[in-house]
């Protein structure tokens, strides 16, 4: 079995001036290039769910299911 290293990252850590303060999936390719350039091979996003209106956290779920 071989080993590899990577990052576990919350979506809100991937930020740009144009996002709403909760991160943006469109930033993932650039982050993946940076991760690969640093010699790592894995990215895991923490789970995200549909968020209620006026909520800023992508981890504040509407439902537990």
């Amino acid at each position: 079995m071989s080993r590899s290293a990577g990052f576990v990252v919350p979506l809100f850590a991937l930020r740009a001036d144009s996002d709403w303060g909760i991160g943006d999936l469109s930033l993932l390719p650039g982050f993946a290039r940076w991760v690969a350039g640093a010699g790592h091979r894995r990215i895991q996003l923490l789970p995200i769910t549909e968020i209620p209106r006026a909520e800023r956290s992508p981890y504040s779920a509407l439902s537990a299911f």
Side-chain angles (χ1 to χ4, degrees), residues 10-24 27 56:
L11 179 61
F12 61 78
L14 303 176
R15 300 289 310 276
D17 291 337
S18 61
D19 69 26
W20 292 1
I22 60 173
D24 192 338
L27 300 172
R56 296 186 58 84

Side-chain angles (χ1 to χ4, degrees), residues 4-53:
S4 64
F7 290 84
V8 176
V9 96
L11 179 61
F12 61 78
L14 303 176
R15 300 289 310 276
D17 291 337
S18 61
D19 69 26
W20 292 1
I22 60 173
D24 192 338
L25 286 174
S26 68
L27 300 172
L28 204 51
F31 182 63
R33 286 189 292 277
W34 181 84
V35 167
H40 299 285
R41 298 184 54 187
R42 305 275 188 263
I43 297 172
Q44 179 180 347
L45 284 179
L46 294 174
I48 55 176
T49 60
E50 185 177 359
I51 58 175
R53 217 175 261 195

